[in-house]
Amino acid sequence: MKMHDQIEEAEVSILHTYNRFPVVFERGEGAYLYDTEGKKYLDFAAGIAVNALGYHYPGYDEALKAQIDKLMHTSNLYYNLPIIDAGNKLIMASRMSKVFFTNSGTEAVEGAIKAAKKYAYVKTGHADHEIIAMRNSFHGRSIGALSVTGTEHYREPFEPLMGGVRFADFNDLESVQEQVTEKTCAIIVETVQGEGGIHPATKDFLEGLRRLCDEKDIILIFDEIQCGMGRTGYYFAWQEFGVQPDIMTCAKALGCGVPVGAFVLNRKAASASLEPGDHGTTYGGNPFVCAAVSKVFEIFERDMIIPHVQELAPYLEERLDALAEKHSCVVERRGAGFMQGLELQGKPVSDVVKKALENGLLVISAGSNVLRLVPPLIISLAQVDEMIDILDVCLR
Ligand SMILES: *Cc1c(COP(=O)(O)O)cnc(C)c1O
């Protein structure tokens, strides 16, 4: 069957909630993907910042296969060995206190919201608290996560959403302060806004949020789902600034391809929020996904994945800056580490993404006019050059 026919067949049964690109992928190797007709693509999308180790990273597949042979799932009614190991490693990397594993990023955000609400409930003895979220943010598609997502077109058809959410401007502390009331229990912010167009938080903003939250005993939630797991050159983007959240959400690259997320709490948030009966999940943190998480951390440490990002990121930025200089349709480069965006003007980003696909390069968009580059963290200098050469053609 030709790729065209495969696509037609997919549209028979799969609900059309995505305008998918006309390509069917069959396999991957390193930082490359291959479609069902054998065409090769350099992957600067990484399954939307998931495949941090690319495809078939040495040792990863073997660890998952070994776990399949032992035990896939039991339920959270019992302990298992992989969750102990994965939990310890996530705590080591974050220097936080407790972990709850979920099946996705959205569910990690749901859990973080519930933990913050419960913290305020325990403290005040009553419910009905408020959350401050940012405009232009993205936290997921479930009703709770959508309620703190500051993008109107995602929200509108599903109103009314969860009440008690106020929006402020990202990187504008004053606008956050204006939204604080007696009822505020949490502030949620992406350390680097991803879907909204690759906007890194400033150090001043994060420090200001931390001070504000300390003053008022508000839970500070950092959404590290996209920018975490080494992408910015730190395990978690906030570690660059030394500003610690009370709760952090992660997912995407946490398992490098298996569906897993987590919300991680500091001692304060963990000791006075969710208790037995408050929260649960059937699959969350099952032995299979936790074997993946555990192996990911092991590989990150053993093969110095994060130092590699730190070493290569300046080169990536330098080459992107030169590209931006050369093409007048690129008005700005923004980002941190291997999470980069090129803001375009006068050229639809979808045209560039399509052209790149035709030329064997996978990139994605963010917001309405930003070209997003979130490659596997294992890319080489030569692959940066290869990407630049293709983009150079596509931006012309
Ligand atoms: C992707 C993403 C989510 C949602 O994660 P899912 O795994 O798709 O549910 C939430 N927050 C941020 C910042 C994300 O990038």
Side-chain angles (χ1 to χ4, degrees):
M1 214 187 332
K2 299 284 281 182
M3 207 154 74
H4 172 78
D5 301 317
Q6 293 161 342
I7 290 168
E8 278 199 348
E9 197 184 344
E11 291 297 336
V12 171
S13 53
I14 307 300
L15 185 68
H16 193 83
T17 55
Y18 283 91
N19 288 318
R20 293 174 208 266
F21 292 100
V23 61
V24 184
F25 286 119
E26 190 164 44
R27 65 192 179 86
E29 195 59 57
Y32 295 94
L33 277 169
Y34 295 83
D35 70 21
T36 51
E37 292 177 356
K39 183 175 162 184
K40 184 179 179 183
Y41 301 79
L42 177 61
D43 185 7
F44 266 63
I48 318 186
V50 167
N51 298 311
L53 297 174
Y55 306 93
H56 303 299
Y57 193 91
Y60 177 82
D61 297 9
E62 292 78 357
L64 268 62
K65 287 175 187 168
Q67 189 58 45
I68 289 173
D69 287 339
K70 278 191 203 147
L71 189 63
M72 287 281 286
H73 179 81
T74 55
S75 98
N76 282 311
L77 298 175
Y78 316 102
Y79 297 95
N80 66 71
L81 292 177
I83 199 173
I84 300 170
D85 202 24
N88 283 342
K89 285 174 170 155
L90 185 46
I91 289 305
M92 283 285 284
S94 64
R95 309 243 163 240
M96 293 178 75
S97 182
K98 303 278 183 190
V99 183
F100 184 103
F101 285 106
T102 66
N103 306 289
S104 68
T106 297
E107 285 169 81
V109 170
E110 292 290 329
I113 291 171
K114 281 182 72 177
K117 284 187 179 235
K118 182 74 194 299
Y119 178 85
Y121 176 84
V122 170
K123 186 177 68 179
T124 63
H126 62 80
D128 191 22
H129 291 95
E130 292 177 351
I131 297 172
I132 300 172
M134 301 302 130
R135 294 195 182 86
N136 200 40
S137 63
F138 182 84
H139 298 291
R141 305 295 200 137
S142 65
I143 297 296
L146 194 55
S147 301
V148 292
T149 289
T151 309
E152 206 43 52
H153 69 272
Y154 289 151
R155 302 166 54 91
E156 199 190 289
F158 309 104
E159 302 273 3
L161 297 168
M162 178 180 80
V165 179
R166 293 163 170 267
F167 287 96
D169 290 325
F170 187 69
N171 276 341
D172 181 346
L173 187 62
E174 225 166 88
S175 108
V176 177
Q177 277 160 336
E178 280 165 14
Q179 298 302 326
V180 174
T181 73
E182 286 297 298
K183 290 184 171 184
T184 308
C185 72
I187 298 174
I188 182 166
V189 57
E190 288 158 272
T191 327
V192 181
Q193 283 192 336
E195 302 301 309
I198 314 292
H199 296 276
T202 62
K203 185 171 198 285
D204 280 354
F205 182 58
L206 296 179
E207 284 174 348
L209 289 179
R210 184 66 272 174
R211 238 179 292 121
L212 178 63
C213 289
D214 286 343
E215 261 166 43
K216 312 240 176 211
D217 198 14
I218 295 168
I219 294 286
L220 182 57
I221 304 169
F222 287 166
D223 183 340
E224 287 270 339
I225 290 168
Q226 189 161 158
C227 61
M229 291 306 290
R231 183 151 295 282
T232 67
Y234 297 82
Y235 260 121
F236 302 106
W238 52 266
Q239 289 170 330
E240 178 180 358
F241 306 111
V243 180
Q244 296 181 11
D246 299 300
I247 303 177
M248 154 177 91
T249 57
C250 32
K252 290 203 163 87
L254 180 61
C256 283
V258 301
V260 61
F263 60 98
V264 189
L265 309 92
N266 68 5
R267 198 175 306 275
K268 179 181 99 166
S271 64
S273 64
L274 300 175
E275 295 174 298
D278 282 336
H279 199 54
T281 162
T282 298
Y283 283 127
N286 83 4
F288 180 65
V289 300
C290 280
V293 172
S294 195
K295 194 67 191 183
V296 166
F297 279 112
E298 188 190 313
I299 291 169
F300 267 56
E301 292 298 318
R302 185 192 67 199
D303 295 351
M304 312 236 286
I305 300 297
I306 294 175
H308 172 71
V309 175
Q310 286 184 346
E311 195 178 294
L312 194 56
Y315 182 73
L316 172 65
E317 291 186 345
E318 185 188 306
R319 299 269 357 229
L320 288 173
D321 284 338
L323 201 66
E325 190 75 18
K326 182 171 167 189
H327 296 275
S328 59
C329 62
V330 183
V331 292
E332 192 183 23
R333 176 196 62 80
R334 291 189 294 267
F338 285 3
M339 183 171 182
Q340 295 287 337
L342 297 178
E343 186 173 327
L344 304 186
Q345 205 172 52
K347 200 177 191 67
V349 65
S350 58
D351 287 3
V352 180
V353 172
K354 260 183 245 158
K355 198 130 192 255
L357 184 78
E358 284 162 22
N359 285 280
L361 171 69
L362 298 179
V363 287
I364 45 184
S365 63
S368 57
N369 61 345
V370 176
L371 192 72
R372 174 169 33 164
L373 304 158
V374 283
L377 305 186
I378 53 148
I379 50 160
S380 64
L381 190 141
Q383 286 163 340
V384 171
D385 290 342
E386 189 183 344
M387 175 276 291
I388 293 285
D389 288 347
I390 299 174
L391 262 196
D392 191 23
V393 172
C394 299
L395 289 167
R396 227 169 263 160

